[in-house]
Amino acid sequence: MVDLRVDLGRGLCLANPVMPASGTFAEGLAKVIDLNGLGALVTKTITAELRGGNPTPRVAEVSNGMLNSIGIPSKGIDHFLDETLPFYRGFTAPLIVSISAPTVDDFARAAARLNVPGIAAIEANISCPNIEEDGKAFAMRPGTTEQAVAAMRKVTHLPLWAKLTPNTGDIAAVARAAEAAGADAVVVANTILAMTIDIETMRPTLGNIMGGLSGPAVKPITLRMTYQCARAVDIPVIGCGGIATASDAAEYLLAGARAVQVGTATFTRPGAMNEVIAGLMEYCRRKGFNSVAEVNGALNADLLTHDVMEAAQ
Amino acid sequence: MRQADTLGVAPPADPFSAQVADTVARVIVNDWVNAEYKLIELDAPGVAADAAAGQFFNIECPATGEDKPFFRRPMSTYAADPSAGRVQFLYKVAGAGTRGLATLIPGQTTRILGPLGMGFSLPETAKSIVVLGRGVGLATLAPLAELAQQRGVAVTALISARASEQVLSVERFRAAGAEVETVLDSDGTSDLGNVEAILRHLHAQGRADGFYTCGSNRLMLLMQRLSAELGIFGEVAMEQQMACGLGMCYCCVRNFTIDGETVSKRVCWDGPVFPLAEATSW
């Protein structure tokens, strides 16, 4: 029997390393699969303020992936605590609540409101625009990452994860800043800023012009970033980006991810997470790993020279 | 509160109670019904064939040639037969997804997620309803005619099309006992003024306890105006681009007007059938 359990720090242990990526999961999936079979449940990002979201079209399909510019529609934290949280309390899988905010103080205020039963951890979506810094995402730079994470760390004892953006020049430095500010884990990574144009209408395909690329197309990029972050920090790295199969997940674990998030794949195959869990168990058996934790760090990169590694930075 | 509640309609089912399956469905037939539309019938055991009128499926469409549809395609149920374990979809071959779907041959399989969404409701007091559709909207309305027949409710099907070659589903509606009237662009009978006159006439004859529409914005607006003026229960089945079909991605939102306020709703989760009074132009 393969031990699928993973330890994500601050007392949070998951039954297996597979969970949904924020924004690709909601109550509706419970109609199709048993949510208690997942390592954790991760909510769509909520904000303190009411947000309507972006104009349609909000998604576009591309080769092996999709763009989205949903715009974080949110009914606010009160609505979440009163209407949504009770639904998730009916499940044993730990609930991770994704939050976002336009300022450092708003991040802290949002985090402080989540110290309630039924919430196992906070995932701070710091990939959103910071209105105090000309709209640049917090996680684009180490300094703003550190400020946002430190402000939340002061007000919560819950495990605190920072979800990083791939739209930055030095993601390892951003991960180190999150760790220094007290994050318990980093999630690597959010979507890659992208766009498509309809050449017949000569308009951008998305109502918001630009959006985030996700799906299998991004996997080699976010896998590389996961590898860089896992080498840069001691806290767990949670891999996220284009995972659709167990082999994708195994690649992330080999790159150093302690756990993985499956997102876009669930849109096209609602049972994708279950298939990843079953396939990971089979992979461990086949390769002689007694636990998924053993897969971490098993990457056979000895023959590669330091220069090659640096060239990838 | 849904308008239906005030008219003695059973409240909508709890959206969490119904189960949904991602069924591997086997193609029985996939044939052209005219120059633009194909009908696919699938062997789909389990909950799929329990689909109610107005519910839909999210269908995996194979890649073919240069077409590589990444998302599934949402399609309303054209027919569902629980005793045979079969479902049918009527679709216009128009884009990457439907071009792929059109290549499936009997014996091949594809995944269909469903049944999804909230379907049509019939007021308990209704004795006679009018369905008004155009294009593929008729595929959505056909199962409603059969539901009405089972409940002993008379149906008038008003079918709008460009020309007689594009008229769809007349036999389906007739088989369900519906009185069928066709209006065409080619002879000017589909003109809004004429359709309004027909609807008013049906109401005057006591044959319009319910208005149902799908497939045309201008026909929806007409029915909405008349249902408000004449106090007729009404529902509209909406379409929107979708990714997940399960209320998770929030891409299929549309605006609705409820108590004078604009409210954003997910077509896949809150609909695809909505109270006619709440719909806004698309």
Side-chain angles (χ1 to χ4, degrees), chain A residues 31 58-59 61 268-269, chain B residues 15 70-73 111 250:
Chain A
K31 295 170 100 173
R58 290 178 167 188
V59 298
E61 55 183 4
T268 54
R269 284 181 84 104
Chain B
F70 183 74
F71 295 136
R72 294 188 183 200
R73 296 297 190 265
R111 285 174 178 267
Y250 284 77

